[in-house]
Each structure stands twice: as C-alpha cells, then as structure tokens.
Amino acid sequence: MTGFGKVTAELPSKKVTVEIKSLNSKQLDLNTRISAVYREKEIEIRNELLQMLGRGKIELSIQIENIGKETAARINFPVVESYFEQIKTLSDSLHLAEPSDWFRTLLRMPDAVKNGMAELDVSEWNTIHEAIGAATRQLIAFRVQEGVMLQKLFERKIATIAALLTQIDHYEGERIEKIKSRILENLKHVSEVDYDRNRFEQELIYYIEKLDVNEEKARLNNHLKYFVDSMNQGREQGKKLGFIAQEIGREINTLGSKSNHVEMQKIVVQMKDELEQIKEQVLNVL
C-alpha cells in the first residue's frame, strides 16, 4: 500500500511540482498541502484519489515556484504612505532620528504588502490536474511492484506452512502410542486399585479423540488454499487476506494446544513464525 509519485508541470509564469505518497491505513486518510487558489478543487481531487487509490494514508503536496515577473503580491501604497507620515510626525515630536532604511521599516509594517487572490485559470488547472493524475499513476505503479514482491513472499510462506503441516503426520501415530503407553505405565504403579477395564478403554478412546488433530489439519489446509486463491482474485483483497490469516492462526494454535508432543510443538512454532511474517506484510496489501 506504500508508494510515491512526483511530477513537475511547467507553466508560462510558474513551475508546479506535485508530490503524492501513500502509507498503510484502514481507510482513505488524505492530507493536502496546496495553494489557496486551487483549494476549490480539493473535493474533486479527494474523490478521484479515492477511486484510484482505494485506501491508505495519502499525502498530496502541490508546490508552486514563480518563474515569471508577475506576482500576486502588491505593495499597498496608501498604507505605506500613511505609515511614512506617521513615523515622520512621531520622529519630529519626540526628537528621534528618522529610520536609516525607510524601505525595510515601511515594508515590514502590517498590511504594507497585500496578496491578491488570483482566479483559477482553466487551462492552468488542466495542466495541474494532468500532473496530479501522472503522479498518482506513478504511485500505483510503485504499489503494483510492491504487490508482486509481496505475493511471491506470501506464496513461499504459505507453501512452507503447508509443508510443515505434512510433517505432523510422521509424529501423529507415535504420539498416540506414547500417550497410551504412559497411561498404562501409570496404572501399573497403582495395582492395588481395581478398575473397570471396559470403562477404561472407553475413557482412553475418548481422551485420544480429544487429542485428534485431523479436523484442525483439514481446516488449516483449506485456509491455506483459500489464502492463495484470494490473492489471485485481483485488487482490494488485503482485508480479506488479513481475516484468513487470523483463521490460519487459530488452527495453528489449536494444533499446538492438542499436540502434546515435543516434535509437533516445534513444527507449530515454525508455523507461527511463518504466519507472523505474513501478518506483518499483509497490512501492506490494498
């Protein structure tokens, strides 16, 4: 979701530089720094950026550099003349020396210079509008490039989790046998206790069924496939991928809590590590 674009437009009397950058955000958060003369177009700009960029923390800057002789700033002659007369009168009245640099003194007085609000020129705005569009397309191209890299990263991480999941099969049968052996071994040490062997078998089966992870494995495998399928469905899948990553995490956590086996728990830790890297980067997906 990050990106940057910059375009400079040359006008007869000014040079306009448009910069736009994007960071991660759950919705469109647009901040603009533009000249007051273009402020009336802000809603139009916002709507267009929403359509083109979807969401993100967007910062748009339109900087103007005057290269011609014309300027909107004008010296306010009546005000400057009034200041001049007042200062001279005050100097004579208080027997003070007049300012050595009249221009510096007078032009720094309040309202000595006024900034005229120029009207928005249609042809000028068309040029700037095109520059905004070009800068935005640069940002989108940056996003696309980042998205390609992220997709490759996600595919590797999902494939790694899927490969780790298959390794659990190797330890699952061994785990059940160890649980049975441990329970039977403990019963030998309490030989003085009489127990119903049929009931014991029933309880043992129930206990082992509670530790069965076949459903978790199946759901996790389906979530992994769903994550990859969603990536290939086009743009604006970021939130959906985030939700799927949460579901993947739930199944991995359940595997860890039910594994009751050292090697299986090691595999679960590796899965969590891969998933955390996915969660960190899925925030960058639009």
Side-chain angles (χ1 to χ4, degrees), residues 257-269:
S257 62
K258 295 176 71 172
S259 63
N260 201 15
H261 188 279
V262 174
E263 295 302 324
M264 287 178 63
Q265 288 173 339
K266 288 181 180 179
I267 293 173
V268 167
V269 170

Side-chain angles (χ1 to χ4, degrees), residues 18-34 39 41-51 53-62 132 136 139 143:
V18 177
E19 289 186 4
I20 183 170
K21 65 179 180 179
S22 172
L23 299 174
N24 299 330
S25 180
K26 293 182 179 180
Q27 60 276 325
L28 180 67
D29 181 11
L30 176 60
N31 293 315
T32 60
R33 288 185 297 167
I34 60 179
R39 196 64 53 80
K41 296 292 185 179
E42 185 171 354
I43 295 178
E44 178 183 337
I45 295 171
R46 181 180 293 273
N47 291 334
E48 290 183 357
L49 292 180
L50 176 61
Q51 294 296 322
L53 301 178
R55 61 190 177 97
K57 186 176 181 180
I58 312 296
E59 291 188 8
L60 173 68
S61 171
I62 303 178
I132 294 173
T136 305
L139 187 149
R143 279 183 168 184

Side-chain angles (χ1 to χ4, degrees), residues 105-255:
T105 301
L106 294 173
L107 294 179
R108 293 177 65 179
M109 300 299 288
D111 299 323
V113 178
K114 59 182 179 180
N115 292 310
M117 180 64 72
E119 292 185 2
L120 179 62
D121 181 79
V122 175
S123 61
E124 177 181 316
W125 168 246
N126 289 337
T127 301
I128 295 172
H129 186 251
E130 291 175 4
I132 294 173
T136 305
R137 288 190 292 273
Q138 287 183 10
L139 187 149
I140 293 173
F142 194 106
R143 279 183 168 184
V144 170
Q145 184 180 5
E146 182 187 37
V148 171
M149 293 187 294
L150 286 177
Q151 182 170 0
K152 292 179 180 178
L153 173 68
F154 291 152
E155 288 172 347
R156 290 198 306 269
K157 297 299 178 183
I158 293 295
T160 301
I161 294 175
L164 289 168
L165 182 60
T166 61
Q167 295 179 21
I168 288 180
D169 297 338
H170 177 72
Y171 300 104
E172 196 168 0
E174 175 187 337
R175 175 184 67 124
I176 299 299
E177 290 302 319
K178 282 187 176 181
I179 292 171
K180 287 182 179 179
S181 299
R182 186 168 67 248
I183 294 174
L184 291 172
E185 187 66 27
N186 290 334
L187 284 173
K188 290 180 182 179
H189 296 291
V190 289
S191 55
E192 69 277 5
V193 178
D194 189 21
Y195 62 89
D196 186 336
R197 293 187 177 275
N198 290 331
R199 180 60 184 273
F200 171 73
E201 290 291 340
Q202 293 174 2
E203 293 293 335
L204 184 60
I205 292 172
Y206 175 72
Y207 179 68
I208 291 174
E209 284 179 348
K210 285 183 65 177
L211 296 177
D212 182 72
V213 294
N214 284 321
E215 288 188 11
E216 286 76 13
K217 287 162 52 183
R219 286 196 295 266
L220 177 55
N221 193 49
N222 288 336
H223 291 331
L224 296 176
K225 292 178 180 178
Y226 189 31
F227 190 97
V228 175
D229 291 341
S230 297
M231 278 197 301
N232 297 323
Q233 288 179 4
R235 57 177 295 176
E236 297 186 6
Q237 298 295 318
K239 291 182 179 179
K240 184 178 180 181
L241 294 178
F243 295 144
I244 299 172
Q246 290 178 7
E247 294 301 317
I248 292 173
R250 289 191 180 95
E251 300 304 331
I252 292 176
N253 287 334
T254 306
L255 278 173

Side-chain angles (χ1 to χ4, degrees), residues 7-19:
V7 171
T8 299
E10 295 283 352
L11 297 167
S13 61
K14 64 183 72 172
K15 181 170 70 174
V16 180
T17 302
V18 177
E19 289 186 4

